[in-house]
Amino acid sequence: MQTYRCTCGNRLYFDNSICLACQREVGWCEGCERIAALEPINAADGAATGEYRCGHDDCGKNLRKCHNYVVEAVCNRCYLVEKAVVAEQGPAANEAVQANVLCRSCQLTETIPDLAVVGNHEKWGRLEAAKRRLIYTLDRLGLPYANATPRLTFDFKADIVPPNNEWRNVGAKEIVYTGHADGKITINLREADDAAREALRVQFHEAHRTLIGHFHHEVGHYYWQLLVQNQREAECIRVFGDHNSPAYADAMAAYYQNGPQQNWAASFISAYACAHPWEDFAETFALYLDMISVLDTASQLFRAGRANFRSRSVAPLVERYQEVGILVNEFNRTVGLIDLVPEVVMAPVVEKLKFIHKLLNKAAQPKPLVPEVAPVPLSVVAN
Ligand SMILES: [Zn+2]
Ligand SMILES: [Zn+2]
Ligand SMILES: [Zn+2]
Ligand SMILES: [Zn+2]
């Protein structure tokens, strides 16, 4: 993740909706794909039009805030508006046309939780925030999702359970399973509850359990369907094993009964990865996206040089990721936090990452590449 500059010169962060130095409203500009100061555009009589100009001089596009920014306060993105709408039909017409418009990220969410339930609004906000980071990373890699078939979509839902101490049956119980099916990523709202999620992390002996981590894993299943299924299955089988045998349901039942194989760490990135080749692919995919996200952040904050995500070889990326990991893990340990990079990436896992790297490079849409800068030694930048 990069950081950005306000018109006043202050540093802005990806989640900001206001500049703490000058109090300007800020938001994500879908024109230049940066957080930008939002300069209000007023009508001739001085009335607010609800439109803004992107504060970056080299962009200056006309923007409107996403509906979920204005009304729900769970988004900080702005979408592009055509200048012609305001100029030709006036602000009132524009208001009508643009009402309830969602940004590119919010459009992908098809189901949101019941906002009448206390706490759900806040949990939904956390899920959207983590999802925006996923979308940012997919865009950085130039991957298809919004116009792909199937299109990537999201459901954020809570279990339906009878209220506690209720003596009568209040209807069918519905348990929401976090997972992916045919383009749709479903996340159980409970994952956005910090205490509940941490309890699960401890129960399952996981190094990390985060909303972003869930997205990174589930979107791996999505890209398997989009880019591997019926296209490169034979090649994938050579790297990850045969996903047809044993059948997924049998493999998962056996995993939950017997646990992971003893020496899993020699060739898998996590214990769960050895449950079935599909889970191995998703876990390795999640590692790949973790690596890309961390290197994107490091490239700016550590002045480490932009990582070339489309380099032919994945090995330099892995090496850099492990270097950053050693550094930041030590910071985390200083204050008692868990490691940022808990994994040691073994050679067989690098082979799997190679497959994913090649797969994604092939799928990447032609977009101007970020120029590669020669890496310089890691050094923390004071701001
Ligand atoms: Zn500012
Ligand atoms: Zn812009
Ligand atoms: Zn939005
Ligand atoms: Zn999975």
Side-chain angles (χ1 to χ4, degrees):
M1 185 59 61
Q2 303 287 301
T3 63
Y4 308 90
R5 289 281 166 202
C6 181
T7 311
C8 77
N10 187 39
R11 192 187 282 253
L12 298 174
Y13 299 90
F14 188 68
D15 295 318
N16 284 163
S17 53
I18 199 155
C19 169
L20 293 177
C22 71
Q23 307 302 316
R24 273 186 179 85
E25 289 190 291
V26 306
W28 182 259
C29 169
E30 289 192 344
C32 62
E33 301 187 315
R34 285 177 290 187
I35 294 289
L38 301 177
E39 309 294 353
I41 299 175
N42 293 332
D45 63 0
T49 60
E51 276 190 35
Y52 301 85
R53 190 161 288 120
C54 170
H56 290 296
D57 288 340
D58 57 353
C59 174
K61 294 258 174 29
N62 283 33
L63 303 168
R64 262 181 185 276
K65 292 175 182 171
C66 170
H67 171 82
N68 283 345
Y69 185 161
V70 182
V71 178
E72 301 291 350
V74 296
C75 180
N76 67 344
R77 284 195 168 216
C78 299
Y79 58 89
L80 290 172
V81 284
E82 299 303 327
K83 276 185 183 154
V85 179
V86 169
E88 288 166 16
Q89 298 167 36
N94 186 48
E95 197 89 43
V97 170
Q98 305 289 348
N100 303 324
V101 175
L102 295 170
C103 70
R104 286 178 51 232
S105 172
C106 288
Q107 279 173 25
L108 303 173
T109 303
E110 292 190 335
T111 307
I112 64 168
D114 180 357
L115 299 183
V117 176
V118 175
N120 278 7
H121 192 280
E122 194 186 352
K123 289 174 193 161
W124 174 39
R126 288 182 198 153
L127 282 157
E128 290 294 350
K131 195 189 86 189
R132 282 195 298 279
R133 286 181 182 264
L134 169 72
I135 298 303
Y136 168 91
T137 304
L138 300 183
D139 286 341
R140 284 284 280 130
L141 293 171
L143 293 177
Y145 57 89
N147 301 317
T149 308
R151 179 170 177 259
L152 180 64
T153 57
F154 298 83
D155 277 1
F156 302 140
K157 299 198 286 194
D159 295 331
I160 298 171
V161 288
N164 289 335
N165 307 319
E166 188 66 76
W167 60 271
R168 65 198 165 87
N169 187 352
V170 292
K173 202 163 133 175
E174 187 193 317
I175 301 297
V176 175
Y177 292 99
T178 292
H180 165 265
D182 206 23
K184 166 74 55 77
I185 290 177
T186 301
I187 307 279
N188 187 315
L189 199 65
R190 199 162 53 124
E191 294 291 344
D193 178 315
D194 291 346
R197 190 183 59 252
E198 181 64 9
L200 289 172
R201 184 186 76 79
V202 173
Q203 185 185 332
F204 294 128
H205 307 289
E206 293 170 340
H208 286 180
R209 190 181 181 96
T210 63
L211 293 179
I212 294 170
H214 280 304
F215 285 127
H216 283 181
H217 174 99
E218 300 304 341
V219 87
H221 290 304
Y222 171 70
Y223 282 110
W224 192 92
Q225 180 176 355
L226 192 69
L227 305 175
V228 177
Q229 189 173 39
N230 300 328
Q231 297 167 66
R232 310 179 82 173
E233 287 189 41
E235 201 186 325
C236 190
I237 286 170
R238 281 199 289 278
V239 180
F240 289 90
D242 190 354
H243 49 268
N244 298 309
S245 162
Y248 182 75
D250 297 341
M252 296 312 284
Y255 174 78
Y256 283 116
Q257 184 157 10
N258 309 324
Q261 63 191 57
Q262 257 184 354
N263 58 344
W264 64 264
S267 39
F268 295 91
I269 195 57
S270 69
Y272 187 59
C274 57
H276 184 271
W278 282 340
E279 296 308 335
D280 191 13
F281 184 90
E283 285 288 271
T284 311
F285 197 95
L287 167 69
Y288 185 84
L289 291 191
D290 288 352
M291 181 174 80
I292 294 295
S293 317
V294 165
L295 290 179
D296 185 43
T297 304
S299 70
Q300 188 187 30
L301 294 183
F302 290 167
R303 293 210 177 118
R306 284 261 179 161
N308 181 3
F309 299 146
R310 296 197 193 168
S311 64
R312 273 177 66 86
S313 166
V314 79
L317 299 178
V318 176
E319 203 176 301
R320 198 79 181 144
Y321 178 58
Q322 300 267 262
E323 270 175 35
V324 172
I326 289 168
L327 181 81
V328 180
N329 287 352
E330 280 305 300
F331 282 122
N332 285 11
R333 290 169 194 177
T334 308
V335 290
L337 291 172
I338 56 179
D339 285 352
L340 174 80
V341 177
E343 316 92 353
V344 176
V345 185
M346 307 298 275
V349 176
V350 177
E351 289 305 307
K352 296 173 194 178
L353 286 171
K354 254 185 214 168
F355 176 84
I356 289 171
H357 184 63
K358 207 170 118 191
L359 185 73
L360 298 191
N361 269 352
K362 266 205 147 128
Q365 282 149 0
K367 211 179 166 187
L369 290 186
V370 180
E372 189 175 11
V373 175
V376 295
L378 294 174
S379 60
V380 180
V381 178
N383 179 32

